């Protein structure tokens, strides 16, 4: 139960243009032309069973955006239920025409996502970024309106 409450307390989602500045991580300086096209989801801590339902709810509530950036640099571990929730959410995004971008994947989560073929079958390798800055630069080169 401890892991459930830790994950649930740190689970937040908001549209980029509705977030107050202190909600951003310090490296998030989003150009105006991208704000209506992206949504950033911060994950903080291991992804366990308590995360699954809440993340699936997020997938169903997202506004119409073109890209969902999932920041995972603070996720050291994913268990089977967290993996299932992530896969279901990515599938829901794909069905809505939203591309998922992952940034900051640590070793265990990345190995697991590759082992079950979420990478590259659901999230292509070009949508995986070592850090947020690389992800943002990639989006800037997309020439979004």
């Amino acid at each position: 139960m401890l892991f459930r409450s830790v994950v649930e307390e740190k689970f937040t989602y908001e549209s980029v243009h509705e977030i107050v500045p202190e909600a951003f991580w310090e490296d998030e300086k989003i150009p105006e032309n991208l704000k209506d096209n992206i949504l950033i989801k911060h994950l903080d801590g291991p992804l366990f069973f308590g995360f699954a339902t809440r993340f699936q709810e997020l997938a169903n509530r997202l506004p119409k955006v073109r890209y969902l950036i999932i920041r995972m640099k603070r996720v050291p571990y994913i268990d089977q239920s967290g993996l299932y929730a992530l896969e279901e959410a990515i599938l829901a995004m794909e069905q809505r025409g939203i591309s998922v971008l992952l940034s900051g994947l640590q070793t265990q989560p990345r190995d697991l996502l590759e082992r079950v073929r979420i990478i590259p079958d659901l999230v292509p390798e070009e949508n995986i970024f070592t850090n947020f800055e690389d992800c943002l630069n990639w989006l800037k080169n997309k020439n979004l309106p």
Side-chain angles (χ1 to χ4, degrees), residues 1 5 13 17 27 33 36 38-40 43-44 55 59 63 71 89 95 98 100 104 107 119 125 128-129 137 139:
M1 286 303 227
S5 61
Y13 104 93
H17 56 278
D27 61 345
N33 68 313
D36 291 332
I38 65 171
L39 186 106
I40 300 169
L43 300 183
D44 197 0
F55 197 71
R71 299 207 55 189
Q95 291 172 349
I98 299 171
V100 173
T107 302
I119 300 171
E125 195 64 47
I128 310 294
F129 302 91
N137 287 335
L139 284 166

Side-chain angles (χ1 to χ4, degrees), residues 10-30 39-44 69 71 73-74 132:
K10 295 181 179 183
F11 187 91
T12 59
Y13 104 93
E14 299 165 88
S15 174
V16 171
H17 56 278
E18 295 172 352
I19 297 176
V20 291
E22 53 271 13
F24 286 109
W25 286 358
E26 68 181 46
D27 61 345
E28 293 178 357
K29 309 249 185 304
I30 312 299
L39 186 106
I40 300 169
K41 174 68 195 102
H42 303 103
L43 300 183
D44 197 0
I69 301 169
R71 299 207 55 189
K73 76 177 185 178
R74 296 180 184 171
F132 183 73

